[in-house]
Amino acid sequence: MSTRPCAVVGVGQTHHKSRRLDVSFGGLVREAVFRALDDARMTMADIDAVILGKAPDLFEGVMKPELYLSDALGAVGKPMFRVHTAGSVGGTTAIVAASHIQVGKHRTVLAVAFEKQSEGNAQFALGSGRGASLGAGGAFAPFIRAYIHRSRAPEHIGWKVAVKDRLNALKNPYAHLRIEDISIEKVKASPMMWEPIRFLESCPSSDGACAMVLTDEQGGDAAAADGRPPAWILGASSRSEPASFPGRDPVRPAAALQCAADVYNQAGITDPRRQIDTAELYVPFSWHEPIWLEAFGLADEGDGWKLVEDGTTELGGSLPINASGGVLSSNPIGASGLLRFAEAANQVRGAAGEHQVDGAKVAIGMAYGANSQYFSTWAVGRSLQPFG
Amino acid sequence: MPSRSEMGRGGDIAIVGWAQTPMERHTEKSETQLLMDVISAALAPLGLTRADIDFTCLGSCDYITGQAFSFVSNLDAIGAWPPKRDSHVEMDGAWALYEAWLRLQEGDIEIAVVTGSGRSSTGDPSLIYPMEMDPYFLAPLGADPLTFAALQARAVIASGIADERSMAEVAIRSRSRGDVDALLAEDYIREPLRRHDVPPITDGAAAMVVATGDRARRLVERPAYITGFDHRTECHNPSFRALDDSPSTRLAAEAAGLGDGPIEVAELQAAFTHEELLLADVLDLGDDVSVNPSGGALRANPIMATGLCRIGHAADHVMSGGHRALAHSTSGPCLQQNLVCIVADTP
Amino acid sequence: MTRFVASTITFPYKRSLGPVVGAFMSALTERRILGIRNGAAVLVPPMEWDPTTGAELAHDFVEVGPAGTIKSWTWVPFPSEQHPLAHPFAFALILLDGSTTPLLHAVDAGSPNAMVEGARVAPRWRGTRLGRIDDIVCFIPGETPETEGDDTGPTEEPVTRMDYLASITYRNPVPDATDRAIEASKDQCLLGLRCPTCKRVYAGGRGYCPIDALELGPDCEVELPHVGTITNFCIVTPVQYPGQTETEPFVRAFVLLDGTDVIIPYAVVIDLPADEVRVGQRVAGVWASPAEEMDEGGGMGGAWGALTGWIPNGEPDVDDPDLVNRIF
């Protein structure tokens, strides 16, 4: 690829909650935007273009919100773009934003993604208002059942992931769920939602926003010189596959495998397990952790659950996954993908605070959407050549 | 000194073909069926199949279609197997083209297909569009697009850029029929707008094939090179804007390099007659420029594809022997957001 | 002749207003209209941010109006169901006294002849005010506000939320393939369509192959068996939302049809309690009588018409745990 370097120099997010009743639609987004700008030591005037991502507008009942939010995002007189790729949208937002810089169209862009889903009802929106909506987990429970069978994973793996992510969330001041007394027993005792997925193995429904400031090589170098090392984009990719057709494997989707291969190829990653220090994977239901570990080559096929079992993916382990608490702890649907990309960036910037993975130099952020069909992934590094 | 590509120009990217479905008041086909047809129609003359497509970007709107995640069904029209590099914008296909134009400049792929689709006959636009307005002050009043267009028309008339007669003339030119005096004798439907001043309801879809320069030159004799491409937005509430102007159009045109040379054709997404006159004025188009030879949005207005069709018609002008053309797309009340794409016979 | 199906998406959204819009709406209940200062300007309606720069505005409110001047207007001869008035009215940009930007609202002028730029208008207040922009029913000619009905006074607490009922009706075409499948189901025929290129078979009224992006016509029809094996399933514990129809955990199963690679996804099961569903279970299709309601599709699985669900047929289970991988 003949692309120019692109760096993440600012990250901001809201305090994610089930209902942010204290803010308006614009207020929610601006909270994240100003945090990101402050983090980048910039103002709205420094931004050349705004890229907004969001899940279906049916969630809030505001159609094409980039129109209403144009002035709120300081985009007047600038390009304003809206992407929508289902659950992976936050990731796509970052990738499209980066594209502007990588081809030299702009120098500094703002990527924003959000959801104020408490204004509506997520289950309603997912089913487009019809009865007997499967809900988010209904589509995935059969995939998870298939994974458990294939891998012969013991039943407690899902519970372990759920506990790990909520414990990590306690170290993330922005996380929605803060369950101080989370435990295997508590998860196991929680109500069954979509057999075998229990309530405490499921993501919450959150109001929240995430914003990211991306800039060019000059801007990235300036931030580094100022003692604020950026996250350099090492590779980025998106792939989609159709929802349903005979022969489709939704547990190890081809789109995921190809997306990962593409990113690793761009980033010079030949041994993901060794070369990636930490990953933010889109895990809305606990079992997605071992599933994505395998699809993204961080574990061999069938062995993803073993990395959960032996503590590898815990914050103190050799490959921490979702140090931020992940989607399991905060899930403003449109923003969740961008949060994964942003948290990965923060790790290699050394800006992850209490949930920092020590010495993280290379991280990946991954998001997926719809029926495990849309995949967006990026790899970021503390330097442009992390492997020498 | 900003680089050439930073100024909205750049890349060696060209449109090599496009297709549109029949523009109908009311189609019996679903949006996915429309897309299936039109993607095949765009690829066939180039000797390409879906397997040849490196990147797809779709433009559509859930609220027009009436279903959350409606674009997921549209993915079935692409033949995304093996999996495709693919994206979607909740905007007109013109913006899907913008994303593809950036993506192709990354240099690792050669061919992209972008689409715009919508069945505006599915719902009643006057009831759907208020939902894109300020949720506190405007949506609850059911403030509809016809109302905003009328208010802008008044401002444009007051400024002297248009009058009801010149607006009627735009309608007649666009639809190739009508008599000015007869049209002006009709009642207003939203004063000062009459039926002829407003767009038709149209169901339709468009698909366009774009390629990097070398590939484009191998595919067709005369690719339509995208020499400039930019879009800008303004503040949302029309109350805060001067409605007799379109500053974002001016900015986008400047950034896209309109001033770099003459154009023969301007395809403007003007859904209302006064919009065409305003845009032509803002873009400072001389009498030597042919405005909307296709009939524009007043002849056919397939929501979410209308802008892409403008770009398609502009590309046709170049591909059939013309030198340089401008295409425009818009979104939001009173031309809130505007996109300008310039195509030419050389990169 | 294609059939069309109407569906209405309705939802009562509930918005939180934030500090600026909240203050404005609370003031409306007091029959006061607020603008917000932005340098020398006074913005009505008030915004949290400067519309040009995006800068945060200090909460420096200014009471404006209640009367104002018409700056521009248009006549609405046929109001929609969402408009503020049910009889013809004007929408106008009204510059309230003390404001530098106009407010869009309705004017109950009686006729377009009464609408003139520069004319003076004042609010007609709703008797019971909730803190919504339509606490002003509309504006009326003249300087003097009036109140419609009994004035129940301002709300007790400051207004922080707002209701918005969205209801849009859509008419979408039912693809031919769906209707053919539903029609065939009336004769207890489970129709599939085989793609001539890749040979995959699609059921549930799905009329095209997403692999080859090919429309599948009647010449592609194949008849599928009504017997199959459950390969996977999902037990959903329902949550409540407007439009929800379920109250108890319900099952959706994946049924692999005998002798084929066709899997019926998210199938309804009959006489099969959630705690008895198993991989390998043998089931047969259950058909509704012509008088009963047809499944017209629109759900995740497809359109099945008279095929209302799948019932255990008493055959011994198929002992093949790997069946669970057969989801698509």
Side-chain angles (χ1 to χ4, degrees), chain A residues 230-287:
Chain A
W232 294 97
I233 297 173
L234 305 174
S237 181
S238 294
R239 288 291 189 285
S240 306
E241 67 182 53
S244 122
F245 57 88
R248 181 172 182 234
D249 182 358
V251 176
R252 201 175 163 75
L257 299 176
Q258 291 182 20
C259 188
D262 190 4
V263 171
Y264 296 158
N265 181 48
Q266 292 173 42
I269 293 172
T270 51
D271 185 353
R273 175 70 184 81
R274 308 275 106 62
Q275 291 174 295
I276 292 167
D277 298 317
T278 183
E280 286 275 334
L281 306 176
Y282 202 101
V283 174
F285 301 99
S286 57
W287 283 95

Side-chain angles (χ1 to χ4, degrees), chain C residues 92-112:
Chain C
L93 287 170
I94 301 161
L95 191 65
L96 295 170
D97 295 341
S99 168
T100 58
T101 61
L103 177 73
L104 181 85
H105 215 298
V107 179
D108 193 6
S111 104

Side-chain angles (χ1 to χ4, degrees), chain A residues 15-20 59-60 115-126 136 166 175-177 193-194 199 202-208 282 284-285 326-336 339, chain C residues 239:
Chain A
H15 289 281
H16 313 295
K17 286 192 166 44
S18 51
R19 300 192 306 171
R20 284 297 306 267
F59 280 117
E60 295 85 8
E115 212 69 59
K116 197 167 188 292
Q117 55 201 65
S118 72
E119 296 204 346
N121 179 293
Q123 306 283 42
F124 160 88
L126 288 169
R166 275 46 173 285
H176 171 177
L177 292 183
M193 296 295 299
W194 303 279
F199 179 73
S202 310
C203 52
S205 169
S206 319
D207 286 351
Y282 202 101
F285 301 99
V327 180
L328 273 175
S329 303
S330 312
N331 188 24
I333 291 181
S336 284
L339 284 166
Chain C
V239 294

Side-chain angles (χ1 to χ4, degrees), chain B residues 309-339:
Chain B
C309 288
R310 304 281 69 71
I311 299 175
H313 286 296
D316 276 349
H317 169 76
V318 170
M319 295 184 73
S320 59
H323 296 297
R324 199 158 178 265
L326 174 149
H328 157 273
S329 184
T330 189
S331 176
C334 299
L335 304 173
Q336 182 189 341
Q337 184 179 28
N338 294 282
L339 167 152

Side-chain angles (χ1 to χ4, degrees), chain A residues 141-165:
Chain A
F143 306 171
I144 287 169
R145 184 171 295 104
Y147 173 76
I148 293 172
H149 169 73
R150 287 185 208 185
S151 64
R152 300 187 215 295
E155 111 184 289
H156 64 266
I157 295 298
W159 309 332
K160 239 186 136 173
V161 171
V163 170
K164 167 182 75 74
D165 281 6

Side-chain angles (χ1 to χ4, degrees), chain A residues 19-27 30 34 44 57-62 68-69 71-76 116 118-121 123-124 127-135 137-143 145-147 149-150 192-195 242-251 371, chain C residues 7-19 21 47-57 160-161 164 166 200-202 206 210-211 231-237 239-246 250 252 254 261-262 265-266 279 297-300 321-325 327-328:
Chain A
R19 300 192 306 171
R20 284 297 306 267
L21 298 180
D22 57 317
V23 291
S24 68
F25 207 65
R30 286 162 65 84
F34 284 124
M44 281 179 169
D57 297 340
L58 234 62
F59 280 117
E60 295 85 8
V62 179
Y68 172 64
L69 292 172
D71 18 321
L73 295 172
V76 171
K116 197 167 188 292
S118 72
E119 296 204 346
N121 179 293
Q123 306 283 42
F124 160 88
S128 286
R130 284 178 221 103
S133 165
L134 287 174
F140 304 123
F143 306 171
R145 184 171 295 104
Y147 173 76
H149 169 73
R150 287 185 208 185
M192 187 66 81
M193 296 295 299
W194 303 279
E195 208 271 327
S244 122
F245 57 88
R248 181 172 182 234
D249 182 358
V251 176
N371 223 18
Chain C
S7 66
T8 301
I9 302 185
T10 302
F11 196 88
Y13 293 96
K14 218 168 165 58
R15 310 198 182 295
S16 58
L17 304 177
V21 179
M47 305 297 290
E48 285 180 29
W49 53 81
D50 179 328
T52 311
T53 66
E56 190 88 354
L57 293 177
T160 59
R161 310 282 294 280
Y164 176 68
R200 287 180 176 83
V201 177
Y202 301 93
R206 200 150 164 221
I211 305 297
T231 59
N232 206 324
F233 56 92
C234 164
I235 303 169
V236 183
T237 306
V239 294
Q240 287 318 304
Y241 56 81
Q244 173 62 289
T245 49
E246 306 296 318
F250 60 94
R252 291 291 181 266
F254 290 71
D261 285 326
V262 178
Y266 306 108
V279 175
M300 269 202 76
D322 285 344
L323 277 175
V324 81
N325 289 311
I327 297 170
F328 291 114

